Amino acid sequence: MQYLVDGLQMKKADQYTIEKVGIPSLELMERAAASCVRVMEEEGLDLSKPCIVCGSGNNGGDGFAIARLLWQKELRPVVCFPGNMAHCTEETRQQMEWFTKIGGEICNEFKAGEYSIIIDAVFGVGLSRKIEGKYLTLLTQMNEAKGVKFAVDMPSGISADTGRVLGTAFRADVTVTFQLEKLGLVLYPGKEYAGKVRIEDIGIHTEAFLKDSSLAYCCDETDLRRLLPVRKADSHKGTYGKLLVIAGSKGMSGAAFFNAKAAYLSGAGLVRIYTPKENREILQQLLPEAIINDYTEYEEEELLNLLSWADGVCIGSGLGTGKTACKLLKTTLERGKGPCLIDADGLNLLAEHEEYLDLSQAAKERQIVLTPHMKEMSRLVNQKVDELKTNRINLLRSYTKSRGCTCVLKDSRTVVATPGEGFYVNQSGNPSMAKAGSGDVLSGIIAGLLVQGLGCHKAAVLGVYLHGRAGDYAKAAKGSYSVMAQDLLLYLSEAFKRLEAENEEL
């Protein structure tokens, strides 16, 4: 597991290391600078004509220390300090003094020229304001200058908390960040601006906050293998759960198909589809393994019988938002047992009827999974999409805590949030998956894992990862443009197979 931190969390870790552990700030700065120089050499970057641009904070101090280390290697970096001396930290002043004492020179403006590498040490992780004025011009000049671009800790202009661009930002080819990766280096658009990210251990102690259950994190394949449901030799189809899929509307049979087949491919033992009568024939042909029940209007008694049969429910994909759909959702939440995943139109209905969750036994038992994309989530929290992207972690934390549910917020970096479980940031998947039906496949995967006994958070984390890996395999086979939702189904088995095979090797 790899933790992802924001600027405030990293600042607290720095303070703890300096004040409690007793490692001086200047020592940490020396370690940071040495690690940057080592990474430049390991990456084979051309250091023949370096230019280092330093700010007045400790990120700038790192830059001056890098300049001194390069000077000691008989290189002669151009060092630019466009800031105000009165605003310099004590450590940065000291690094400037050490650099000038060995003969280094510092200019006040960025000099246009032919550089082999531009090293950005202007702002670091603490930036929260929009970049304007001379710094906007400076970063533009640095981006336009020739040479490899290298960022110290964070590309200047990228929020360490959200990954958003604060007016403008440095576009790095390589970023060295210290101790733990920052959220802003993983979330888009920060990910694009960071280039290749190297995480370097410089001895910052993180114990002070790693016990916090609300931290964001990524998983490696070892962590994810452990989440796979066990397939026992002595078992039958009932062992692996009975899923009720309430999906589709007239002309929308595909959503139900993708839900159901993805659930089967994810290991569910029995899948029953409840859908309008018009969809029966086509679904029976597309997925003969599924049990089909149909309706022409709301029939409470039949729905209650189906809910009684099921170990879990997946509802909402292609369902529509009419009166019948509304009644189906309300009754499912009121009377269903076991976990319930709500997607698509189910979420749109829920945004209009928040009280349905208050009536739900599954919600009281924290067995609700919501799978909104950004627009659907904006309706649930009554915020604009731009506001949501700017503050997604805090909004997710507040919403999931108040509703007692797991939320899978789908985006270029999908985040899974559950109260007390932290924030999983998924890194599998690719843009080829941005096609109709992709979300229906994801809902089916997670629902299939839920009825096999995985808890909501684990099912969501594993499901999101496998969905993305299926997309990665599909892209490798078909390219970036031609991947369809059906290809995700085709390659989902490969995603499971890889994890399962590695599990067996262990």
Side-chain angles (χ1 to χ4, degrees):
M1 182 181 293
Q2 176 186 325
Y3 289 103
L4 305 169
V5 295
D6 60 28
L8 180 59
Q9 289 165 335
M10 206 64 231
K11 183 178 179 180
K12 288 180 179 178
D14 284 339
Q15 290 176 336
Y16 179 86
T17 303
I18 295 164
E19 297 171 6
K20 301 296 183 182
V21 181
I23 301 177
S25 179
L26 276 171
E27 171 60 24
L28 292 176
M29 196 171 280
E30 290 294 306
R31 295 178 186 179
S35 69
C36 285
V37 173
R38 177 172 48 77
V39 168
M40 292 178 205
E41 293 173 338
E42 290 175 355
E43 293 292 329
L45 304 183
D46 184 354
L47 298 176
S48 60
K49 295 181 180 179
C51 175
I52 308 173
V53 186
C54 303
S56 55
N58 279 357
N59 192 245
D62 294 340
F64 287 115
I66 291 169
R68 174 167 46 82
L69 294 177
L70 293 178
W71 190 279
Q72 291 169 351
K73 290 177 177 287
E74 299 186 354
L75 298 167
R76 294 297 178 261
V78 173
V79 180
C80 172
F81 174 67
N84 186 332
M85 280 294 295
H87 297 158
C88 282
T89 65
E90 181 180 341
E91 294 84 356
T92 298
R93 288 176 185 273
Q94 183 65 72
Q95 292 290 356
M96 293 174 75
E97 182 180 336
W98 286 342
F99 177 62
T100 54
K101 276 187 176 180
I102 63 172
E105 296 182 356
I106 301 170
C107 60
N108 294 325
E109 295 182 357
F110 180 77
K111 294 182 177 181
E114 295 287 331
Y115 301 113
S116 63
I117 185 170
I118 310 292
I119 300 170
D120 165 31
V122 180
F123 288 119
V125 301
L127 184 69
S128 59
R129 68 183 185 277
K130 184 177 180 180
I131 292 177
E132 299 174 325
K134 70 175 184 179
Y135 284 106
L136 188 150
T137 301
L138 171 66
L139 292 179
T140 300
Q141 291 173 333
M142 290 167 64
N143 283 332
E144 291 176 349
K146 292 183 178 180
V148 173
K149 309 299 192 299
F150 184 97
V152 179
D153 212 7
M154 285 291 300
S156 291
I158 295 296
S159 167
D161 303 349
T162 66
R164 70 189 178 107
V165 176
L166 300 171
T168 191
F170 184 72
R171 284 190 174 272
D173 298 301
V174 179
T175 297
V176 169
T177 196
F178 306 122
Q179 213 61 43
L180 294 171
E181 193 161 11
K182 315 308 181 288
L183 264 170
L185 297 175
V186 176
L187 299 175
Y188 285 95
K191 173 69 176 175
E192 292 179 337
Y193 280 76
K196 181 178 182 179
V197 176
R198 291 278 300 265
I199 306 168
E200 294 296 310
D201 185 344
I202 61 171
I204 297 173
H205 286 244
T206 56
E207 294 87 345
F209 60 78
L210 287 187
K211 296 177 182 178
D212 184 354
S213 63
S214 67
L215 277 177
Y217 67 94
C218 297
C219 288
D220 58 29
E221 288 194 352
T222 301
D223 300 317
L224 292 157
R225 285 182 211 123
R226 298 190 183 106
L227 300 181
L228 281 171
V230 175
R231 305 294 287 191
K232 300 177 182 179
D234 183 17
S235 61
H236 53 82
K237 60 181 178 287
T239 305
Y240 303 112
K242 297 175 287 187
L243 177 67
L244 176 62
V245 172
I246 305 175
S249 55
K250 187 175 181 180
M252 292 287 286
S253 59
F257 165 72
F258 289 129
N259 281 170
K261 186 161 185 178
Y264 265 134
L265 289 170
S266 300
L270 285 164
V271 179
R272 186 187 293 265
I273 302 173
Y274 193 43
T275 192
K277 186 175 182 179
E278 293 88 349
N279 296 335
R280 170 183 279 277
E281 185 175 348
I282 189 169
L283 288 172
Q284 286 179 325
Q285 294 179 35
L286 286 171
L287 192 61
E289 297 90 343
I291 307 164
I292 311 293
N293 289 81
D294 61 54
Y295 61 86
T296 55
E297 59 185 17
Y298 176 71
E299 299 177 30
E300 183 167 310
E301 184 176 351
E302 182 176 15
L303 178 57
L304 293 178
N305 287 335
L306 295 175
L307 292 172
S308 178
W309 170 86
D311 296 316
V313 179
C314 176
I315 184 171
S317 299
L319 190 65
T321 55
K323 291 181 179 179
T324 298
C326 193
K327 290 178 181 178
L328 288 170
L329 178 64
K330 183 174 184 290
T331 302
T332 296
L333 287 171
E334 283 183 337
R335 305 293 293 275
K337 60 183 178 68
C340 179
L341 182 144
I342 307 173
D343 183 36
D345 286 329
L347 296 168
N348 294 327
L349 288 169
L350 197 61
E352 298 175 4
H353 300 280
E354 291 185 352
E355 69 277 8
Y356 288 178
L357 283 180
D358 298 328
L359 303 171
S360 171
Q361 185 61 37
K364 293 173 184 176
E365 296 173 356
R366 295 197 167 188
Q367 293 193 84
I368 296 286
V369 179
L370 309 180
T371 57
H373 54 57
M374 279 288 178
K375 188 63 177 178
E376 290 162 347
M377 191 68 195
S378 73
R379 298 185 189 109
L380 289 172
V381 297
N382 195 27
Q383 297 273 354
K384 293 180 180 179
V385 171
D386 288 346
E387 295 170 345
L388 179 56
K389 288 196 172 190
T390 298
N391 198 28
R392 77 182 74 193
I393 297 298
N394 288 332
L395 285 170
L396 269 176
R397 179 181 288 117
S398 176
Y399 183 80
T400 54
K401 183 178 180 180
S402 67
R403 307 313 302 183
C405 65
T406 293
C407 186
V408 178
L409 181 55
K410 298 179 290 191
D411 197 23
S412 51
R413 279 285 187 255
T414 294
V415 178
V416 178
T418 306
E421 297 282 357
F423 295 84
Y424 168 71
V425 182
N426 185 60
Q427 297 193 67
S428 65
N430 61 81
S432 75
M433 301 168 66
K435 293 281 182 71
S438 179
D440 302 327
V441 173
L442 174 60
S443 295
I445 297 170
I446 297 172
L449 295 170
L450 285 171
V451 296
Q452 291 176 76
L454 286 191
C456 290
H457 190 76
K458 290 181 178 179
V461 168
L462 182 59
V464 166
Y465 168 78
L466 289 167
H467 180 253
R469 290 303 287 152
D472 292 336
Y473 295 135
K475 179 189 173 187
K478 304 193 71 172
S480 298
Y481 296 91
S482 301
V483 172
M484 303 286 284
Q486 293 188 62
D487 298 312
L488 302 182
L489 295 174
L490 178 65
Y491 287 96
L492 180 57
S493 59
E494 184 67 21
F496 271 96
K497 181 182 175 182
R498 295 287 181 97
L499 280 187
E500 182 184 12
E502 290 165 356
N503 244 357
E504 289 172 354
E505 289 173 8
L506 293 175

